[in-house]
Amino acid sequence: MTTSTPGGPDRRPGERGDLLDPLCPTRRLLDRIGTKWTSMAVKVLAEEDPGELRFAELRRRIPGISQKMLSVTLQSLVRDGLAARRVEPTVPPAVHYRLTELGRSLEGPLSTLRIWAETHMPEVDRSNRLADGSAPG
Amino acid sequence: MTTSTPGGPDRRPGERGDLLDPLCPTRRLLDRIGTKWTSMAVKVLAEEDPGELRFAELRRRIPGISQKMLSVTLQSLVRDGLAARRVEPTVPPAVHYRLTELGRSLEGPLSTLRIWAETHMPEVDRSNRLADGSAPG
DNA sequence: CGGGATCCTTCACGATACTG
DNA sequence: CAGTATCGTGAAGGATCCCG
């Protein structure tokens, strides 16, 4: 999402007071859940919670995701402390993922968004079609 | 956010059943509020609600936004039916923006996200610092 | 005042191939 | 099985200039 911390490197989060700061927590959260597969992965993991899912099983449950993007997405989740990774030292290795408590706590806000989306995105789509139809060329 | 509707143009929203569809409403909502300035603009407009704000005033209240990005952001909001644009035919023209009812309804879910972010992003940051410190090189 | 048009850079994402 | 490495593309976003 770009947001490459413009304005100099010597800025602290929360400085200058308000949520409009480029480093504000909301912006940084949106940068994360805005990436294409993150919210899907959280949802799928949350549905399995408190259980775990293996890499291949996650891939099956997220149709269309590539191996690379699942890997990148899970690494981000683990790095952010939203998911945990557990490796069984077998051959071949079996890697399991689960939500952390922090990850679980994100499910509420995300489901709120989902409900709004399911309820109101049809209106947004109608609005877009209207805009397309009124003055296209 | 790319999401360029892969898999062919002949897909209907909601088809194939679940939220994992690339065209699922949640994904499309995230594509919108994930863009850098959208949620900020909604927040600023919501604080003024039910009043209106002019272009220049919005720009003042969103530090760091460029003229172009404010324009693009507002056009998206209007196109999506989240904001309304009103032009006073003076010279020079005065353009006012306000949230629609649909836009107002989005404030709830967004503030839920903000609260989570303010509460938990410090934990996410700590997790990231841990990851950076443990095995950087 | 409130934009539009243009150029440019960065980055998310996809496709593909390789590995322990 | 569960990744890593590499390459290419499209789109977001910033900077700048112009316009009615």
Side-chain angles (χ1 to χ4, degrees), chain A residues 20-125:
Chain A
L20 300 174
D21 192 292
L23 297 177
C24 88
T26 304
R27 181 90 293 279
R28 297 189 357 268
L29 172 61
L30 285 169
D31 284 345
R32 284 166 165 80
I33 66 177
T35 60
K36 188 165 182 178
W37 302 103
T38 299
S39 57
M40 278 185 183
V42 170
K43 180 189 197 298
V44 167
L45 286 170
E47 285 168 346
E48 197 67 13
D49 192 76
E52 299 180 316
L53 287 173
R54 295 184 58 176
F55 189 91
E57 181 60 26
L58 276 162
R59 211 185 156 186
R60 268 188 293 276
R61 299 201 191 188
I62 306 179
I65 197 171
S66 67
Q67 222 169 32
K68 172 194 164 185
M69 286 316 296
L70 180 55
S71 178
V72 167
T73 301
L74 289 171
Q75 282 171 25
S76 295
L77 289 179
V78 170
R79 181 184 163 86
D80 287 342
L82 299 172
R85 184 177 184 268
R86 181 175 68 83
V87 184
E88 279 181 31
T90 56
V91 279
V95 184
H96 301 255
Y97 292 90
R98 61 178 169 82
L99 285 189
T100 61
E101 191 171 339
L102 186 60
R104 272 191 289 278
S105 75
L106 185 56
E107 247 302 285
L110 280 183
S111 72
T112 304
L113 271 188
R114 281 187 214 108
I115 291 170
W116 190 95
E118 290 165 21
T119 308
H120 295 292
M121 282 307 284
E123 301 175 53
V124 171
D125 294 335

Side-chain angles (χ1 to χ4, degrees), chain B residues 17-80:
Chain B
D18 54 41
L19 293 175
L20 299 174
D21 193 291
L23 297 178
C24 89
T26 303
R27 178 90 293 280
R28 298 191 354 269
L29 172 60
L30 285 170
D31 283 347
R32 283 165 166 81
I33 66 177
T35 61
K36 187 164 184 178
W37 302 104
T38 299
S39 57
M40 279 185 185
V42 171
K43 180 190 196 305
V44 167
L45 286 170
E47 286 168 347
E48 198 67 14
D49 192 77
E52 298 179 317
L53 286 174
R54 295 184 59 177
F55 189 91
E57 182 59 26
L58 276 163
R59 212 185 155 187
R60 268 188 293 277
R61 300 201 192 190
I62 307 179
I65 197 171
S66 67
Q67 228 168 32
K68 171 195 165 185
M69 286 316 296
L70 179 56
S71 178
V72 166
T73 301
L74 289 171
Q75 282 172 23
S76 295
L77 289 179
V78 170
R79 182 185 163 84
D80 287 342

